[in-house]
Amino acid sequence: MLLTSIIQGMQFDIVQGDLNKDIKAIAYDSRNVTKDGIFVAISGFQFDGHAFIHNAIKQGASVIISEKAITVDKGITVLKVANSRNALANVSSNFYNNPTENLNLIGITGTNGKTSTTYFVKSIYEEARKSIALIGTLGTVMNNKVVKNKNTTPMSLDLQYFFSEMVTEKIDNCIMEASSHAISLQRVAYSKFNTAIFTNLSPDHLELHKNMEEYFGEKAKLFKMTSDYNIINADDYYGQQLIEMVKNDNPKLITYGIHSKADICATDIHYAFDHTLYTVNTPTGSVRIKVNLPGDIYVLNSLAAIACAYSNGIPLELIQSGINNIKTIQGRFEVIYEKDDFKVIVDFAHTEDALQKTLSIMRPFVKGKIILVFGVYADTSENGTEKRQGMGRVAAEFADFSIVTLDNPKQHNPSIMINETTEAIIRNNGDFEAIPDREKAIQHAIRISKDNDMIVIAGKGHETTQIIGDTEIPFNEKEIILDALAEKVSL
């Protein structure tokens, strides 16, 4: 494709070189550059792509897009831009022929509930015989093929490639998790969204966004990128703010909720440990819904999916079947083992709000104790301290016994992470033990448990690795749990 076509719509200054070049590929990692390619130099959090420009040229780059002044051979075309991430999104969309113009793209954002909602939407669309792909925390799913994503929402170049593959494979719809990082870092820029869904907002990722207002502001941007529908949780405080923000915009506003007045609402709710029954009420009818996951969390997440499907014209009987078809979601209140009243559950709850809701769901069905194993990933800033203290408070108030361990400590000081969490438990009169080694912490929970107890392993959910320092090691919680149970039985 000609460079002039690829840079259509991009604001830039020509530093040097020819725009009439044939381009074969685009890369933002110099190691992936190929002959006659564009290299987009991005100033990252750990590495600055501008430091690898000469490597990219050696690899065959004929065009450099840069935010900074650089000096290279005269044969190389250099385009200077204000924001390389935005430029990457722009050229990527153009290079793949703007694929979202040929998709019904649904974006979902919020602190918690994104993954389960995407799977509810996917199941409903499949029940309605509508082709649909999924992009999110558990990977990119197209025609039953799963590709692991490095991030919840891939980089814009990878994202546009996936979209183009969907178009090639004649997939008409895509449901995608749009993280706050992705919105802030321009990964979803130049994507045409038909529908946006808002689940909820509670403190998380404040190492990037600094405060809740900034965090909310990034999430809200998605709802200014839609053409057809904005679907918002009316029960959420920030959802109400978002409703006020977009209620006069052209995309139709659809609200959902349990406790607040909403277009799509749940009534007559019956709770059980392994499912929830409720009646969903819509402007054109009602139907009984069975969600095979417990608690209001999954009532709300299924309502979001129902609102999306309903607004896109899918009949209620197909919506009903689609929700019921989801029997479990990896790492989301996933029961790994159960025998009578004893259960071991793995859950992705990694925020104060999510952990409190998970433990609250369990409480009415526990005959013994709730034993919680958890760690808190957050940096060592003031916001990170607040998150650890908040989750420590929840552990003290909602679990009977907590084993504080590590999540993905990465580069941060493990002692600080453990100590700040346990200090909060002590302050709130909780009972706990600290075991930094996560595998040993899980094993200890199994060892001390009794027949009527419920154990919840929180924070990592579906993840099968643990990141300590720069090293990512295999870490499968399901295998650790089953091995520990087998060892306990043999004693």
Side-chain angles (χ1 to χ4, degrees):
M1 181 181 287
L2 284 175
L3 178 59
T4 51
S5 298
I6 294 172
I7 59 176
Q8 192 73 34
M10 188 176 82
Q11 298 294 315
F12 63 92
D13 294 322
I14 303 175
V15 177
Q16 66 178 51
D18 187 3
L19 297 183
N20 293 309
K21 288 186 173 182
D22 190 36
I23 298 300
K24 306 295 186 187
I26 301 170
Y28 55 87
D29 184 330
S30 64
R31 295 167 294 186
N32 297 331
V33 172
T34 54
K35 191 174 185 300
D36 297 324
I38 296 174
F39 176 62
V40 183
I42 294 174
S43 300
F45 294 106
Q46 290 184 304
F47 302 103
D48 187 347
H50 296 82
F52 300 94
I53 286 173
H54 290 286
N55 290 359
I57 292 170
K58 287 178 184 178
Q59 291 278 101
S62 62
V63 177
I64 303 295
I65 296 177
S66 168
E67 292 175 343
K68 301 177 181 179
I70 60 171
T71 302
V72 297
D73 294 342
K74 290 183 179 179
I76 304 298
T77 299
V78 177
L79 307 179
K80 192 169 185 294
V81 297
N83 186 316
S84 290
R85 292 181 187 274
N86 184 275
L88 178 65
N90 190 331
V91 298
S92 299
S93 181
N94 288 338
F95 184 75
Y96 288 110
N97 295 307
N98 304 300
T100 56
E101 293 181 359
N102 297 301
L103 284 171
N104 174 36
L105 181 60
I106 305 159
I108 177 167
T109 197
T111 304
N112 301 308
K114 297 187 294 296
T115 298
S116 60
T117 304
T118 62
Y119 276 83
F120 286 134
V121 170
K122 181 174 180 288
S123 182
I124 294 169
Y125 272 67
E126 288 172 343
E127 183 69 13
R129 301 291 188 268
K130 293 179 180 288
S131 56
I132 186 165
L134 182 152
I135 299 174
T137 305
L138 302 185
T140 295
V141 184
M142 285 187 278
N143 291 333
N144 296 317
K145 294 178 290 186
V146 182
V147 178
K148 186 178 179 182
N149 297 333
K150 185 177 179 181
N151 303 300
T152 295
T153 313
M155 287 285 284
S156 57
L157 177 63
D158 308 310
L159 195 58
Q160 296 298 331
Y161 166 75
F162 286 137
F163 290 148
S164 72
E165 288 291 291
M166 293 172 200
V167 173
T168 299
E169 295 192 24
K170 297 183 170 23
I171 296 171
D172 298 321
N173 306 279
C174 176
I175 174 75
M176 178 177 74
E177 295 183 45
S179 68
S180 59
H181 282 71
I183 299 168
S184 177
L185 300 177
Q186 305 284 318
R187 293 177 198 159
V188 299
Y190 304 94
S191 297
K192 179 182 174 291
F193 288 91
N194 300 83
T195 301
I197 302 171
F198 177 83
T199 59
N200 51 66
L201 203 72
S202 60
D204 198 20
H205 303 306
L206 297 184
E207 74 281 359
L208 176 67
H209 302 301
K210 308 307 177 191
N211 55 57
M212 287 298 293
E213 288 67 32
E214 186 177 318
Y215 184 28
F216 172 68
E218 291 301 331
K219 296 285 191 185
K221 288 178 183 177
L222 181 66
F223 298 82
K224 297 295 184 177
M225 299 171 65
T226 51
S227 59
D228 299 341
Y229 301 101
N230 284 328
I231 297 170
I232 301 172
N233 179 4
D235 283 354
D236 186 78
Y237 170 78
Y238 286 98
Q240 286 291 340
Q241 289 195 36
L242 188 57
I243 288 167
E244 288 300 309
M245 186 181 295
V246 303
K247 65 182 181 181
N248 296 320
D249 292 352
N250 284 329
K252 183 175 176 58
L253 172 64
I254 306 285
T255 58
Y256 68 93
I258 299 172
H259 306 292
S260 303
K261 182 180 179 182
D263 300 306
I264 310 292
C265 64
T267 56
D268 191 19
I269 304 174
H270 171 76
Y271 301 98
F273 179 78
D274 60 353
H275 71 275
T276 308
L277 292 169
Y278 68 90
T279 299
V280 63
N281 305 283
T282 77
T284 58
S286 302
V287 70
R288 199 70 175 154
I289 297 291
K290 181 182 181 184
V291 184
N292 296 304
L293 290 156
D296 284 348
I297 301 171
Y298 295 103
V299 173
L300 284 167
N301 296 346
S302 61
L303 283 173
I306 291 167
C308 175
Y310 175 84
S311 63
N312 280 273
I314 297 178
L316 284 178
E317 62 269 20
L318 296 178
I319 290 173
Q320 180 186 48
S321 300
I323 295 292
N324 187 49
N325 287 344
I326 294 289
K327 304 304 180 186
T328 186
I329 300 171
Q330 187 182 4
R332 272 62 184 173
F333 212 90
E334 184 178 4
V335 179
I336 304 300
Y337 177 86
E338 62 179 319
K339 182 180 179 182
D340 300 325
D341 293 315
F342 175 77
K343 295 177 177 65
V344 185
I345 297 153
V346 166
D347 192 80
F348 190 51
H350 62 285
T351 67
E352 181 180 348
D353 179 65
L355 186 62
Q356 180 172 329
K357 286 175 178 173
T358 295
L359 297 175
S360 297
I361 287 168
M362 296 173 64
R363 178 55 70 188
F365 307 102
V366 179
K367 292 184 177 179
K369 292 182 177 181
I370 293 178
I371 299 173
L372 169 66
V373 180
F374 79 111
V376 185
Y377 170 71
D379 65 14
T380 51
S381 67
E382 184 178 336
N383 287 322
T385 297
E386 287 179 3
K387 181 176 180 179
R388 280 184 284 279
Q389 291 176 343
M391 291 186 71
R393 177 194 61 79
V394 168
E397 292 182 11
F398 293 89
D400 297 297
F401 184 76
S402 297
I403 301 172
V404 180
T405 187
L406 296 173
D407 191 303
N408 291 319
K410 299 184 180 179
Q411 304 288 347
H412 305 302
N413 187 322
S415 296
I416 292 175
M417 292 182 155
I418 296 286
N419 292 341
E420 289 184 345
T421 307
T422 57
E423 285 167 6
I425 297 176
I426 293 167
R427 231 178 1 257
N428 290 277
N429 301 312
D431 195 7
F432 77 96
E433 190 168 344
I435 304 176
D437 184 307
R438 193 175 180 92
E439 182 172 359
K440 290 180 179 177
I442 294 170
Q443 291 166 343
H444 184 62
I446 300 291
R447 193 160 47 246
I448 66 172
S449 63
K450 294 185 169 47
D451 288 348
N452 291 330
D453 293 342
M454 287 195 194
I455 301 171
V456 59
I457 317 295
K460 293 181 66 61
H462 61 282
E463 295 174 3
T464 55
T465 62
Q466 186 178 28
I467 305 171
I468 300 174
D470 292 325
T471 305
E472 187 170 2
I473 60 174
F475 196 90
N476 189 310
E477 292 190 334
K478 182 175 181 179
E479 291 178 0
I480 293 167
I481 290 164
L482 295 177
D483 287 346
L485 285 166
E487 183 178 339
K488 182 175 182 176
V489 169
S490 68
L491 292 175

